[in-house]
Amino acid sequence: MSSSKRHIRDEIFGIPPYNSGLTLDEARARYQPATIAKLGSNENPLGPSPSAMDFGGKLSELARLYPDPKGRALCEALAARFGVDAANIVLGNGSEDLIGVICRAVVRPGDVVTTLYPSFPLHEDYAVLMGGVIERIGLKPDLTVDADGLIAAAKRKPRMLLFANPMNPVGSWIGQSDFGRVLEAVDDDTLLVVDEAYAEYAAGDDYPATVELLKASHKSWIVLRTFSKAYGLAGLRIGFGLASSAGLCDFLNRVRTPFNTNAFAQAAALSALGDEAHLERTVSLALAERARLTAALQGRGLTVAPSKGNFVFFDCGTDATACAEKLLAAGVIVKPWKQEGYRTFIRVSVGSVAENDQFLQSLDAALAP
């Protein structure tokens, strides 16, 4: 065993490096493309609300002082938005930080954590890190969620039921009726965690009013949200969790680092939350372009998963990593999926009209014989 490995816990050897996607600088260094369409990380092409970046004369003071460790002002605004008590909200350095916090607080060696597959890798990785055992519920042949499979798994009483709705990377979702069935099947001893990072893009009659349904239940639950996607604050790293009780939040607050959300992020998120018009513009663009991308990919004969996110998951029909490299040479960053069974699939973010046009034009060349 190498000198470095002997210091590392066994669980870590089974966790692959996170596929975080390429940065603009990495793309430029590799191929020097004239223009780059960054469509690998589901970022908002419109950016944040201008009001979110207006710190006025507070920049120096925000930098000099420690942030409010509880993020009281932001939590109060979120409480009013979702109709919960502020004590039932926990902030995170992005919602992915809170996935780690939850796993550290809840998962014990040997505990079963059930999730949908293919998954956001951190849903699995943080549970494995704590010694948890992952149970995967795969997709149906049409790339939609296997609600019956998820319900059957819930009845087996896992320690935690953790899944994204809409799914990342697929975009498929659990509708209102099926979510109610899942909730009914969840045992009182199971913690239900619903990752709604893309919920702002998913509104509609067939998407559940998750928090309202959960508030009416007696189950233990956490709903995760983020300001990284629809609110355009990915670089500031701020997310939040809505929990079934203040007591549950209290334990999560003991596990997280005391100042896990910085002062700039808290202030920007609070301002962004108040700019409904910018959010509406963001969602309108994403929904229109998502429909256009889906139709264009299907028109090329490619299999495309249904999506309620700001991304599209499709089978490129060949090795996705090789296809993504050809796209990168043309200045388009996408994310080839690397989980077993989906290595011909690519997740492409819904960007601006120009970025999406660049992607589609480059894809034709990348897939040409």
Side-chain angles (χ1 to χ4, degrees):
M1 180 178 289
S2 70
S3 59
S4 60
K5 286 185 176 179
R6 70 166 58 99
H7 304 295
I8 304 302
R9 291 171 48 209
D10 291 343
E11 292 87 351
I12 296 176
F13 297 131
I15 298 175
Y18 181 66
N19 179 20
S20 57
L22 293 174
T23 66
L24 291 171
D25 286 342
E26 287 174 316
R28 292 188 187 102
R30 193 175 300 182
Y31 289 111
Q32 299 84 47
T35 59
I36 299 176
K38 190 172 187 292
L39 302 176
S41 299
N42 300 341
E43 292 141 333
N44 182 346
L46 297 183
S49 161
S51 64
M53 296 292 97
D54 183 9
F55 297 107
K58 300 183 295 183
L59 280 173
S60 178
E61 198 75 349
L62 288 172
R64 183 179 72 86
L65 300 175
Y66 280 103
D68 179 351
K70 294 184 178 180
R72 291 172 180 84
L74 178 57
C75 285
E76 290 289 350
L78 291 168
R81 173 67 59 89
F82 289 95
V84 301
D85 193 284
N88 291 35
I89 299 175
V90 58
L91 300 182
N93 185 33
S95 56
E96 67 185 37
D97 172 44
L98 290 174
I99 299 168
V101 169
I102 293 166
C103 287
R104 293 198 301 275
V106 173
V107 180
R108 306 163 301 191
D111 279 340
V112 174
V113 176
T114 301
T115 192
L116 296 174
Y117 183 83
S119 64
F120 178 46
L122 296 184
H123 288 171
E124 298 191 6
D125 292 351
Y126 285 137
V128 169
L129 182 63
M130 301 311 299
V133 177
I134 302 299
E135 179 186 27
R136 292 171 168 174
I137 306 301
L139 297 168
K140 294 196 291 187
D142 61 358
L143 301 179
T144 60
V145 176
D146 182 1
D148 289 336
L150 192 62
I151 289 165
K155 291 179 178 178
R156 292 192 286 270
K157 303 180 182 180
R159 177 71 169 176
M160 186 159 70
L161 187 62
L162 165 63
F163 58 86
N165 195 33
M167 285 181 70
N168 176 18
V170 182
S172 300
W173 65 96
I174 300 171
Q176 179 95 358
S177 175
D178 281 339
F179 186 85
R181 293 169 59 221
V182 171
L183 181 57
E184 184 178 351
V186 171
D187 187 78
D188 288 350
D189 288 333
T190 297
L191 177 64
L192 174 61
V193 182
V194 185
D195 185 344
E196 289 197 320
Y198 299 94
E200 288 84 4
Y201 300 103
D205 292 340
D206 55 346
Y207 186 76
T210 308
V211 175
E212 294 306 311
L213 289 172
L214 290 171
K215 283 193 295 185
S217 78
H218 63 275
K219 308 295 173 72
S220 296
W221 53 268
I222 302 170
V223 174
L224 299 177
R225 292 286 191 107
T226 185
F227 285 93
S228 295
K229 308 303 180 185
Y231 288 99
L233 296 177
L236 290 184
R237 312 306 304 123
I238 186 160
F240 60 97
L242 307 163
S244 52
S245 70
L248 181 53
C249 269
D250 176 60
F251 289 115
L252 299 180
N253 281 322
R254 299 185 199 189
V255 174
R256 69 176 176 86
T257 57
F259 301 103
N260 65 334
T261 58
N262 68 74
F264 293 107
Q266 290 184 27
L270 183 59
S271 294
L273 196 64
D275 192 344
E276 292 287 349
H278 186 77
L279 180 63
E280 289 175 9
R281 286 192 294 271
T282 289
V283 173
S284 294
L285 172 65
L287 268 55
E289 285 298 290
R290 184 179 72 197
R292 184 170 76 93
L293 276 181
T294 298
L297 291 168
Q298 290 173 333
R300 287 162 168 79
L302 301 173
T303 297
V304 185
S307 177
K308 274 190 175 292
N310 67 333
F311 54 87
V312 177
F313 193 62
F314 70 97
D315 188 347
C316 67
T318 186
D319 179 72
T321 299
C323 182
E325 193 67 24
K326 292 179 181 178
L327 288 169
L328 183 62
V332 179
I333 302 172
V334 297
K335 181 169 281 192
W337 213 251
K338 299 184 178 182
Q339 289 180 314
E340 191 65 37
Y342 293 92
R343 291 177 180 165
T344 61
F345 279 78
I346 286 174
R347 190 194 71 190
V348 58
S349 307
V350 176
S352 66
V353 173
E355 287 173 326
N356 298 333
D357 284 344
Q358 184 178 349
F359 159 68
L360 290 170
Q361 293 163 9
S362 302
L363 182 65
D364 289 334
L367 295 179

